[in-house]
Amino acid sequence: MKKKRRINYFRLFIFLIILIGLIAGGVFLVKEFIIKKDDNHFIQEQKKDNNNEIKKSPLKDLNYSDDDIKIINDSLSEEHINYLVENKIKSEDIIPIVKETYYIDYYLKDYLSYKKENPSKENNLIVQAVNTHINYPFYTHIEDTDESLGKFVLLNKYYKASESYKANDLIAVSSEYHLYGSNFELSKECYEAFLEMYNDAKEAGYGFKINSPYRSYQTQVGLYNKYASTDGKEMADTYSARAGHSEHQTGYAFDIRDFPYTNPDYSKTKSFTWVSKNAYKYGFILRFPKGKEYITGYQYESWHYRYVGKEAAKYIYDHDLTFEEYYEYFVKFKNPRNLK
Ligand SMILES: [Zn+2]
C-alpha cells in the first residue's frame, strides 16, 4: 500500500512539472506574439510617417524624387534641409555627396561650396578634402586639438597642441630598443604595443630600433628652426613639423630604422617589408603613406609609425585611409553612420 502511494505522489509531481512547463511555454508564446504585433505596428506607423514626410517635403517642389528625399531625411538636419530649399540646391548637386560613405552633415555647406569651386572633382574627393580640411592651404584655419583624446590626439597642419601638452603616461624607453641619445620616452600604452611588435618581428627574423620617439614642444622648436635655416621654410615644411604640430609631441609616435642597419632608405629594407605588413596588428599605422602627401602634408615616411590602438589601426589599414580621414569621421564626429 505504502509503495503504491509513493508512486502516485511521483506521478503527481511529474504531472505538475509538465503543467508548469506548458503554462510557461504558453505565456512565452503569447508574449512573443504581442511583441511581434507591436513591432509590426510600430514599423507600419514609421513607414506611414516616412511616407507622409516624403509627401509633404518642400524638396518635392525642387523635383527631388521620393528616394532622394528619403536619403536627405536620413542624413541631413532640419536646418540643412531648409538650406537646400532656400538656396534651391538641385538634387544632382547634393545627392551624390550625401551618398558618399564618409559624409558628415556638419560640413554640408562646405561640401557644396567646395564643389562649386571644383566642379570636375569627384564626389569622394570633395568629401575627403573638406573632412581633412585640405580645402584650405596648410597652416591656415588652425584649431586647438583636443588634448584629452590620448591615442587619438591629432596633430597636423590644421590641428595644434599647446606648449605644455604631452601624453600623461610617458615612460622611459629602454636603451635596448633605441639607437642613440638618452632619456627617450613614449606613452606607456604605445611602448607596450611596440615591445610586442618588436619581439614578434625578432622571432620572425626582422630587426629595428627606435630612432626618435617623444619630442617636447621646445625640442621641436629647435629642430624646425634648424631645418628652416638650412633648407628654407617651404622645404622644411615638407618634412618637419612646426612646434605644436608634431606627432612626436603626443608620445604616441616614433621613427624606426632597421637593425642591423642595411640601407639609409628604410622602405628598401627587409625590416620594412615586415613592419609595413604587420604594424596594424599591434595598433600602429604608417602615418605618412605614399600617395597621401596631399592630405598629410608630408613626404612619404616609411619609418614613422603612430599608435592608434588595434581597432582603429585595422580599419585604417583595411580601408587605406589616413589618420586625418579616420579622425574626422570616427573620432571627432563619432561615426555618424555607425560604419563597421
Ligand atoms: Zn617622425
Side-chain angles (χ1 to χ4, degrees):
M1 261 322 249
K2 247 185 184 175
K3 200 180 173 190
K4 207 175 176 191
R5 202 182 268 168
R6 210 180 290 150
I7 288 167
N8 280 345
Y9 275 131
F10 181 68
R11 279 187 179 165
L12 187 68
F13 176 70
I14 295 293
F15 174 73
L16 279 174
I17 291 286
I18 291 169
L19 190 68
I20 289 167
L22 283 174
I23 291 170
V27 168
F28 175 76
L29 283 176
V30 169
K31 244 187 174 173
E32 274 295 284
F33 177 72
I34 290 170
I35 289 169
K36 266 223 180 103
K37 216 179 139 195
D38 267 10
D39 275 359
N40 278 339
H41 183 70
F42 180 68
I43 290 164
Q44 291 298 335
E45 282 296 303
Q46 223 176 18
K47 263 191 192 156
K48 239 192 250 165
D49 279 357
N50 284 345
N51 285 339
N52 280 340
E53 247 173 61
I54 289 168
K55 252 184 225 157
K56 63 180 189 213
S57 169
L59 292 169
K60 278 252 168 207
D61 300 336
L62 292 173
N63 291 324
Y64 280 57
S65 73
D66 286 1
D67 285 346
D68 290 348
I69 294 172
K70 193 182 170 334
I71 291 165
I72 294 288
N73 287 351
D74 286 346
S75 299
L76 270 68
S77 69
E78 219 176 301
E79 188 205 324
H80 280 167
I81 296 175
N82 290 336
Y83 179 84
L84 298 183
V85 175
E86 279 158 23
N87 293 278
K88 297 192 167 58
I89 307 291
K90 289 184 197 145
S91 71
E92 63 260 38
D93 289 332
I94 183 63
I95 292 294
I97 291 174
V98 179
K99 277 184 173 170
E100 281 300 322
T101 309
Y102 299 110
Y103 171 86
I104 297 170
D105 192 42
Y106 178 84
Y107 290 127
L108 170 99
K109 292 174 195 174
D110 301 273
Y111 295 139
L112 287 169
S113 62
Y114 191 62
K115 175 135 179 131
K116 215 173 196 178
E117 290 160 24
N118 303 275
S120 59
K121 220 179 184 101
E122 287 169 43
N123 293 299
N124 62 329
L125 296 180
I126 299 277
V127 169
Q128 182 189 58
V130 171
N131 286 7
T132 57
H133 304 196
I134 58 167
N135 50 335
Y136 300 115
F138 293 139
Y139 289 123
T140 64
H141 291 79
I142 295 169
E143 289 177 38
D144 290 333
T145 204
D146 182 348
E147 295 176 0
S148 72
L149 292 172
K151 62 178 181 278
F152 290 132
V153 168
L154 173 63
L155 289 178
N156 65 7
K157 291 177 177 178
Y158 303 100
Y159 288 94
K160 83 180 285 232
S162 63
E163 272 191 66
S164 58
Y165 166 69
K166 59 180 176 185
N168 50 23
D169 64 344
L170 285 181
I171 54 166
V173 173
S174 158
S175 59
E176 196 184 327
Y177 307 110
H178 67 72
L179 284 168
Y180 12 71
S182 57
N183 299 326
F184 278 163
E185 289 175 303
L186 273 180
S187 140
K188 186 168 181 280
E189 199 182 343
C190 168
Y191 186 41
E192 280 167 0
F194 170 82
L195 293 180
E196 212 186 309
M197 176 165 81
Y198 179 94
N199 289 326
D200 286 356
K202 199 174 170 187
E203 209 160 283
Y206 301 93
F208 49 84
K209 285 197 180 193
I210 293 176
N211 209 353
S212 189
Y214 163 70
R215 290 202 293 262
S216 71
Y217 185 98
Q218 283 313 321
T219 307
Q220 195 66 28
V221 169
L223 211 55
Y224 178 80
N225 287 345
K226 191 182 86 184
Y227 292 138
S229 69
T230 341
D231 288 344
K233 260 191 156 190
E234 202 181 317
M235 185 59 200
D237 276 337
T238 66
Y239 64 84
S240 178
R242 297 182 192 175
H245 295 271
S246 169
E247 281 235 301
H248 286 275
Q249 198 187 335
T250 65
Y252 291 96
F254 52 78
D255 302 333
I256 52 176
R257 222 161 91 164
D258 65 330
F259 189 86
Y261 180 59
T262 60
N263 198 316
D265 182 350
Y266 184 59
S267 72
K268 300 222 163 77
T269 67
K270 279 183 185 170
S271 163
F272 171 77
T273 319
W274 190 91
V275 174
S276 60
K277 254 186 239 150
N278 293 285
Y280 79 91
K281 297 172 190 164
Y282 304 88
F284 295 104
I285 54 165
L286 181 71
R287 182 64 180 87
F288 306 116
K290 203 182 259 177
K292 299 290 178 86
E293 297 86 346
Y294 67 102
I295 299 175
T296 64
Y298 291 101
Q299 298 173 3
Y300 167 49
E301 291 192 0
S302 57
W303 58 86
H304 180 113
Y305 287 84
R306 163 71 192 259
Y307 182 75
V308 291
K310 287 179 186 168
E311 197 189 331
K314 185 171 180 347
Y315 192 93
I316 289 168
Y317 183 84
D318 287 346
H319 295 83
D320 193 25
L321 295 183
T322 55
F323 185 48
E324 275 77 10
E325 293 162 275
Y326 183 88
Y327 172 84
E328 207 71 12
Y329 193 85
F330 291 94
V331 181
K332 192 171 183 180
F333 287 95
K334 302 183 167 67
N335 193 3
R337 280 177 173 164
N338 290 316
L339 300 175
K340 294 227 164 79

